Amino acid sequence: MVSKPEETQLNTLENQVDNGGGGAWEYLCLVRKLKVRRSEKVLKYGLSILNDPKKRSALGPEEWTLYEQVAIAAMDCQCLDFAKDCIKVLHKKFPESKRVGRLDCMLLEAKGSWAEAEKAYSSLLEDNPLDQAIHKRRVAMAKAQGNISVAIEWLNKYLEIFMADHDAWRELADIYLSLQMYKQAAFCYEELLLSHPTVPLYHLTYADVLYTLGGLENLQTAKKYYASTIDLTRGKNTRALLGICLCTSAIAQLSKGRSKEDKESPELQSLAAKVLEKEYKQRAADKLGLVTSALRSLKI
């Protein structure tokens, strides 16, 4: 995830290069470091360096990294001839490289030759079953074809090997959510919370999933995770504050007829509602009436 200062630095450098102020190589390095996709810009400025023998030779060993970066950008932009030329240069320099072989597979993907690409990826995996990049490319390829069930299957197999890859758990959770498979998505977020217990986003999304599932136990747990989100963000998460109010109301409805011991105190909901009203009064005063009305309509 790119931080705001990093994004500002990248945009400033991009504007500088766009306006002829130099710094194309620094821009390309920063794009690579932050792992962002600015394919059109990368292709434009990367080719300007590669097509200039003096600039290209000044890069030293980094020249080959730039060829790879430009090849991937060219595939993104469907400029497949440029991609093919870059890969050809890399093959000449590194004739036995599996990394360059992976670019060949990606080129097949870009052409829409799915069967050939899958065959080529499988061949590379036979040589190195622990190549994470190839496993991820297969998942991406399945998604690109709209074959979501296969993407889920491969992601699950990948996570059996690389259990600590939180990006893969998030990807799998997002797929499950898109299919309304909330129990499976909840499991993914439980794994994320185990490995990253201080990330507010995971607490918040897990609470959202549990609230969507419904049921007294899920709602009570969701309320706890909304509360932990508020704690981790020092009370600055509006969605979590609203989640507290919604959970408290839903729990109250489901707890009707139960003993007082089973019912929850409305104090937390009252406090969350006050903070919400204060936030809207400061930041969106024109919507304060609507929010106040909505909060009062919740039955506790």
Side-chain angles (χ1 to χ4, degrees):
M1 190 177 291
V2 180
S3 66
K4 274 206 165 184
E6 289 171 334
E7 187 177 0
T8 301
Q9 181 188 3
L10 182 63
N11 290 333
T12 302
L13 194 51
E14 186 175 288
N15 289 331
Q16 176 185 309
V17 180
D18 285 341
N19 294 318
W25 173 243
E26 289 76 13
Y27 172 72
L28 293 167
C29 289
L30 187 58
V31 168
R32 196 163 59 245
K33 178 186 173 184
L34 299 180
K35 299 180 180 179
V36 294
R37 300 293 275 270
R38 302 280 176 103
S39 300
E40 290 183 4
K41 301 287 185 183
V42 168
L43 181 60
K44 179 180 177 181
Y45 298 123
L47 285 175
S48 71
I49 294 174
L50 292 176
N51 291 332
D52 186 324
K54 188 176 179 181
K55 290 180 180 178
R56 189 174 69 240
S57 61
L59 297 178
E62 290 292 329
E63 173 187 349
W64 313 113
T65 304
L66 181 57
Y67 269 112
E68 180 184 44
Q69 187 178 10
V70 171
I72 294 170
M75 285 185 264
D76 277 350
C77 298
Q78 279 296 299
C79 298
L80 302 186
D81 287 338
F82 287 130
K84 190 175 180 180
D85 290 342
C86 290
I87 295 170
K88 187 177 179 181
V89 172
L90 289 168
H91 267 303
K92 189 174 180 180
K93 177 67 179 176
F94 309 101
E96 302 298 324
S97 171
K98 302 298 181 186
R99 184 165 170 172
V100 179
R102 193 163 64 229
L103 291 176
D104 284 326
C105 299
M106 292 173 68
L107 185 58
L108 289 171
E109 278 189 70
K111 290 177 180 178
S113 303
W114 306 115
E116 290 179 55
E118 169 57 27
K119 187 177 179 181
Y121 280 134
S122 297
S123 177
L124 288 175
L125 279 176
E126 285 178 10
D127 295 332
N128 183 10
L130 300 180
D131 191 322
Q132 288 181 268
I134 293 178
H135 281 286
K136 289 182 176 182
R137 287 309 319 159
R138 294 177 83 193
V139 173
M141 193 167 66
K143 288 182 69 179
Q145 295 176 81
N147 201 340
I148 303 302
S149 60
V150 172
I152 291 173
E153 180 186 347
W154 281 343
L155 259 178
N156 275 305
K157 286 181 178 178
Y158 170 82
L159 285 166
E160 286 175 7
I161 306 170
F162 306 102
M163 297 179 214
D165 190 334
H166 67 278
D167 287 329
W169 281 113
R170 283 190 65 183
E171 177 75 12
L172 185 57
D174 287 343
I175 293 175
Y176 282 140
L177 288 175
S178 71
L179 298 173
Q180 298 182 6
M181 298 171 69
Y182 298 115
K183 287 184 179 179
Q184 291 85 344
F187 176 80
C188 293
Y189 279 105
E190 286 164 4
E191 290 291 332
L192 285 165
L193 285 164
L194 282 171
S195 57
H196 296 82
T198 59
V199 177
L201 177 62
Y202 298 158
H203 288 252
L204 178 62
T205 313
Y206 182 53
D208 285 343
V209 172
L210 292 176
Y211 178 80
T212 304
L213 278 169
L216 185 59
E217 186 177 341
N218 285 329
L219 289 167
Q220 289 171 334
T221 306
K223 185 176 178 181
K224 291 175 184 177
Y225 278 92
Y226 281 129
S228 64
T229 304
I230 294 168
D231 185 41
L232 289 167
T233 58
R234 299 182 181 181
K236 298 295 183 182
N237 194 295
T238 304
R239 191 161 128 198
L241 289 165
L242 182 58
I244 290 287
C245 297
L246 292 171
C247 282
T248 304
S249 177
I251 290 168
Q253 299 306 306
L254 291 174
S255 299
K256 281 183 178 178
R258 293 174 179 252
S259 63
K260 288 185 178 181
E261 289 76 13
D262 292 335
K263 294 182 179 180
E264 293 196 358
S265 168
E267 289 178 9
L268 183 58
Q269 185 272 344
S270 178
L271 183 59
K274 286 178 182 178
V275 175
L276 269 174
E277 289 177 331
K278 183 180 177 182
E279 286 284 312
Y280 272 90
K281 186 176 181 180
Q282 291 175 346
R283 301 185 183 188
D286 58 315
K287 293 182 173 64
L288 178 59
L290 181 64
V291 172
T292 302
S293 176
L295 291 173
R296 286 176 181 170
S297 70
L298 295 175
K299 296 177 181 179
I300 307 299

